[in-house]
Amino acid sequence: MIVVYANCNVSDESSEEFIALAAKLIEETRKENGNISYELIRGTENNNLFAFLEKWADKEVLGIHMKTEHFKIIVPKLNDLMDGDMQISIHEILI
């Protein structure tokens, strides 16, 4: 199983729009084959810190996800709302 942790900062002014766009991305992504979970989380001490926490069956389905229409449309819009770049780390669950 593959886990993706993708975090970013979003300004107070952009946070509601960011959450709304993320909700659309999450709704569509959860329908994809091989997606185990897909969530948006927010920092408890820093309300401007957001992260996507994703679980995928394997790297192949993750790659397919990044080529979907909803990903290609929504992710650039999310990027425009971020303060800086998204930091992405991909992990494999061992146990």
Side-chain angles (χ1 to χ4, degrees):
M1 184 182 316
I2 300 297
V3 175
V4 177
Y5 181 79
N7 67 301
C8 63
N9 285 295
V10 177
S11 68
D12 289 334
E13 300 81 33
S14 299
S15 63
E16 292 306 315
E17 184 178 358
F18 184 88
I19 292 167
L21 284 168
K24 292 177 185 177
L25 177 64
I26 290 166
E27 179 182 359
E28 292 302 314
T29 300
R30 287 179 175 170
K31 298 174 187 175
E32 293 178 41
N33 289 329
N35 176 256
I36 297 166
S37 66
Y38 202 97
E39 301 169 303
L40 178 67
I41 59 177
R42 185 181 216 170
T44 57
E45 294 180 22
N46 177 356
N47 283 338
N48 294 333
L49 177 62
F50 290 89
F52 290 95
L53 184 57
E54 313 167 26
K55 289 185 182 177
W56 296 91
D58 54 41
K59 285 184 181 180
E60 183 179 349
V61 293
L62 174 58
I64 292 168
H65 162 66
M66 292 187 287
K67 295 176 184 172
T68 61
E69 196 67 23
H70 55 270
F71 184 91
K72 292 190 289 186
I73 290 171
I74 298 172
V75 169
K77 293 177 183 180
L78 291 171
N79 288 337
D80 288 342
L81 299 172
M82 295 177 199
D83 291 335
D85 294 329
M86 183 172 279
Q87 304 299 311
I88 302 170
S89 56
I90 301 173
H91 309 268
E92 181 178 15
I93 294 178
L94 299 176
I95 299 174

